[in-house]
Amino acid sequence: MAHYQHILIAIDFSDHHLQLCNKALSLAHHKHTKLSLCHIVENYIVSDFAYEAIGSVSVDMQDELLNSAKKRIQSLGEDLKISTENQWVEFGSSRYDIVRLAEQHSVDLIVVGSHGRHGIKLLLGSTANAILHHAKCDVLAVRLDE
Amino acid sequence: MAHYQHILIAIDFSDHHLQLCNKALSLAHHKHTKLSLCHIVENYIVSDFAYEAIGSVSVDMQDELLNSAKKRIQSLGEDLKISTENQWVEFGSSRYDIVRLAEQHSVDLIVVGSHGRHGIKLLLGSTANAILHHAKCDVLAVRLDE
């Protein structure tokens, strides 16, 4: 029977991230299963109505966002007994960087939250969809209540 | 810890459906987890270049396809020890009918194969993507080798 060896939990710190972690833990029933946590601080670019880039997040703000995310991941890691070397916080794009981290670290299952989508969010597509599209491993999309 | 109560395996009878079943079985580690199988025989509509419908599959052919799929599901069900009342073969559209079956039968995890997509397939989108979009429960997309 196939058991997952390395499960990566992609955290977006929505209200329901504990629900996501619980699901991942329930799949890590094999004693050799490695668990990792990642969070990508999105590099949003602000643009005007003609899609001209006005600017992105300043370097100071990047550092502040990264440090704040690192603290939250560290605290979550302690609760879940995941060592700091398996906690990755990066600045970039969730859609690409989660898949890249999974490949770099031989992850065989990515666990990601999936939010009910309607209106403009539906048009923009979801991170879970994008990961499913690009990942070379299995993806568990956990439906989070909203 | 959250365990799945009812796992639905959506089978498309690609070469790798045993890989899919194995993954689903590895998640059904709780003795009360119910497993179900479904296969949707696609109702493809043949159209010309102006997208005018020329016709769909004939009633005789529908019956033949359904009966053949039922036999395959039944044989798979025996191997996996899934009773016939939890085997559903229907004629319709995978994208909608898998999600509908999951809701009707209080499924909390749909396991579906995810194929590497490129070229025209990428443009058409995948069943796994569509299910992820519409499902009200968790979805495990199992990456199948091609």
Side-chain angles (χ1 to χ4, degrees):
Chain A
M1 209 178 288
H3 287 289
Y4 291 110
Q5 304 293 315
H6 189 177
I7 299 177
L8 173 61
I9 312 173
I11 290 288
D12 70 353
F13 292 122
S14 71
D15 289 345
H16 306 278
H17 69 269
L18 289 177
Q19 193 184 333
L20 192 71
C21 294
N22 256 328
K23 286 283 171 68
L25 285 177
S26 76
L27 302 185
H29 46 90
H30 193 273
K31 65 178 177 175
H32 299 298
T33 305
K34 188 158 85 173
L35 274 171
S36 296
L37 279 172
C38 78
H39 174 74
I40 306 299
V41 179
E42 289 289 335
N43 184 16
Y44 290 116
I45 292 172
V46 184
S47 59
D48 62 16
F49 284 108
Y51 301 104
E52 296 278 350
I54 294 172
S56 63
V57 176
S58 74
V59 176
D60 282 355
M61 198 181 269
Q62 277 183 26
D63 287 346
E64 207 170 300
L65 288 168
L66 274 174
N67 288 335
S68 152
K70 277 178 186 164
K71 275 184 200 152
R72 295 187 71 178
I73 278 272
Q74 214 165 344
S75 150
L76 189 60
E78 276 171 27
D79 292 344
L80 303 176
K81 296 184 184 23
I82 295 176
S83 68
T84 47
E85 70 211 32
N86 289 327
Q87 300 169 13
W88 308 310
V89 176
E90 296 197 5
F91 195 73
S93 158
S94 305
R95 309 179 160 242
Y96 302 105
D97 292 315
I98 292 169
V99 171
R100 180 184 48 74
L101 282 168
E103 281 179 44
Q104 271 176 4
H105 298 278
S106 308
V107 163
D108 52 1
L109 177 69
I110 301 172
V111 179
V112 64
S114 163
H115 301 267
R117 300 187 84 75
H118 29 77
I120 188 72
K121 279 188 178 174
L122 188 67
L123 282 172
L124 291 171
S126 72
T127 304
N129 257 138
I131 291 173
L132 178 59
H133 218 93
H134 297 287
K136 294 201 169 64
C137 63
D138 293 0
V139 178
L140 174 67
V142 175
R143 174 66 64 184
L144 303 174
D145 314 313
E146 281 188 294
Chain B
M1 210 177 285
H3 287 289
Y4 291 110
Q5 305 293 315
H6 189 177
I7 300 177
L8 173 62
I9 312 173
I11 291 288
D12 70 353
F13 292 120
S14 72
D15 289 346
H16 306 279
H17 68 269
L18 289 178
Q19 194 185 332
L20 192 72
C21 294
N22 256 330
K23 286 284 173 68
L25 285 177
S26 77
L27 301 185
H29 46 92
H30 193 272
K31 65 177 177 175
H32 297 299
T33 305
K34 187 158 85 174
L35 274 171
S36 297
L37 279 173
C38 77
H39 175 74
I40 306 298
V41 179
E42 288 289 336
N43 183 17
Y44 288 117
I45 293 172
V46 184
S47 58
D48 62 17
F49 283 109
Y51 302 105
E52 296 276 350
I54 295 172
S56 65
V57 175
S58 73
V59 176
D60 281 356
M61 197 180 268
Q62 276 184 27
D63 286 346
E64 207 171 301
L65 288 167
L66 274 175
N67 287 335
S68 150
K70 277 179 187 165
K71 276 184 199 149
R72 295 187 72 178
I73 278 273
Q74 215 165 345
S75 150
L76 188 62
E78 275 170 29
D79 293 345
L80 303 176
K81 296 184 186 19
I82 295 176
S83 68
T84 46
E85 70 212 32
N86 289 326
Q87 300 169 14
W88 308 309
V89 176
E90 295 196 6
F91 194 73
S93 158
S94 305
R95 308 178 161 240
Y96 302 106
D97 292 315
I98 292 169
V99 171
R100 181 184 48 76
L101 281 168
E103 281 180 44
Q104 271 176 3
H105 297 277
S106 307
V107 163
D108 52 0
L109 177 69
I110 301 172
V111 179
V112 64
S114 162
H115 302 267
R117 300 186 85 75
H118 28 77
I120 187 74
K121 278 188 180 174
L122 188 66
L123 282 174
L124 291 172
S126 73
T127 304
N129 256 140
I131 291 173
L132 178 59
H133 219 92
H134 296 288
K136 293 199 170 65
C137 63
D138 293 1
V139 178
L140 174 67
V142 174
R143 174 65 64 185
L144 304 175
D145 315 315
E146 280 186 295

